[in-house]
């Protein structure tokens, strides 16, 4: 499954195939184009094989082509939705060029389409260059998973393949993204860390000049 909506509070009812979602007016549509990710987070649903097989986010038949994605989108009127969100079990920017191609095509038809990126924030390490200029005009919001109040805990939680440098990299990605994207947010998950650590994350976001959002915990 590549396109889906949330069937209630995240973590309560899960995800619903877009074809079964009914009226899309005012809803967010979520897009998954890859299972690839530079992290192996200890709290990620992808760590449980049973959940991978039973959850509609997991791409069982491989990555969809750009053409396949556009054919799927052509079946719906995106004028009525609230927001298009690139997310999923993988890191969307693992397919940066393809994601940009999809957005460019859609915005040609829907110039006012609101688009959000949910990311781990490590794209600059993935590609070995600053990719944030490529977000300009494509994304209205970038949401980056902060996950922890310091680099050691971040690495323990995410098990990023890039090692200890990852934490500074995501903070730099947030700052660079502000030049090209109107709304940059960093997130932590409630119940995963105590309130004092969330406060520390708030201080980090204040220093970076971005918004902190505390997301609900997904069972």
């Amino acid at each position: 499954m590549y396109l889906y909506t949330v069937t209630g509070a995240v973590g309560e009812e899960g995800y619903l195939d877009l074809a079964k979602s009914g009226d899309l007016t005012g809803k967010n549509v979520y897009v998954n184009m890859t299972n690839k990710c530079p992290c192996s987070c200890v709290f990620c649903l992808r760590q449980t094989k049973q959940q991978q097989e039973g959850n509609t986010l997991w791409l069982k038949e491989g990555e969809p082509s750009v053409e396949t994605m556009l054919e799927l989108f052509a079946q719906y009127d995106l004028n009525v939705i609230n927001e298009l969100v690139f997310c999923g079990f993988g890191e969307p920017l693992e397919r940066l060029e393809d994601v940009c191609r999809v957005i460019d095509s859609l915005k040609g038809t829907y110039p006012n389409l609101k688009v959000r990126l949910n990311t781990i924030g490590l794209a600059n390490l993935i590609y070995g260059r600053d990719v944030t200029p490529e977000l300009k005009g494509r994304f209205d919001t970038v949401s980056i998973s902060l996950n922890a109040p310091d680099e050691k805990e971040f690495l323990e939680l995410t098990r990023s393949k890039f090692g200890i440098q990852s934490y500074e990299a995501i903070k730099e990605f947030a700052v660079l993204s502000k030049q090209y994207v109107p709304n940059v947010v960093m997130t932590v998950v409630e119940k995963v860390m105590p309130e004092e650590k969330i406060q520390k994350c708030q201080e980090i976001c204040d220093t970076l000049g971005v918004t902190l959002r505390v997301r609900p915990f997904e069972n």
Side-chain angles (χ1 to χ4, degrees), residues 180-199:
Y180 307 105
V181 179
N183 185 34
V184 178
V185 178
M186 302 192 89
T187 68
V188 294
V189 181
E190 67 177 1
K191 300 181 183 179
V192 172
M193 66 174 67
E195 186 60 37
E196 59 268 23
K197 289 187 177 181
I198 293 178
Q199 181 56 42

Side-chain angles (χ1 to χ4, degrees), residues 5 35 47 115 128 139 144 146 154 168 193:
T5 59
N35 292 330
Q47 303 310 319
V115 184
F139 292 100
I144 303 164
L146 183 57
F154 180 85
E168 289 303 316
M193 66 174 67

Side-chain angles (χ1 to χ4, degrees), residues 33 37 39 56 82 84 88 100 119 135 137 144 176 182-183 188 203:
M33 290 179 60
C37 186
C39 296
T56 55
N82 177 55
L84 192 67
C100 290
T119 178
L135 308 180
I144 303 164
L176 292 171
N183 185 34
V188 294
E203 293 170 2

Side-chain angles (χ1 to χ4, degrees), residues 32-104:
N32 183 27
M33 290 179 60
T34 185
N35 292 330
K36 297 176 183 176
C37 186
C39 296
S40 181
C41 298
V42 297
F43 50 81
C44 182
L45 295 176
R46 65 187 289 140
Q47 303 310 319
T48 303
K49 186 172 185 291
Q50 181 179 358
Q51 288 176 317
Q52 290 179 2
E53 292 176 348
N55 195 301
T56 55
L57 276 71
W58 187 255
L59 300 176
K60 298 179 182 178
E61 300 177 0
E63 296 181 345
S65 67
V66 170
E67 290 72 25
T68 296
M69 296 303 303
L70 294 177
E71 288 173 5
L72 285 169
F73 280 120
Q75 301 175 39
Y76 304 97
D77 179 9
L78 301 186
N79 278 314
V80 304
I81 70 169
N82 177 55
E83 189 177 35
L84 192 67
V85 186
F86 284 82
C87 58
F89 269 165
E91 163 54 52
L93 296 189
E94 286 276 5
R95 294 187 65 184
L96 173 63
E97 181 178 349
D98 288 344
V99 166
C100 290
R101 286 176 61 197
V102 169
I103 295 172
D104 288 347

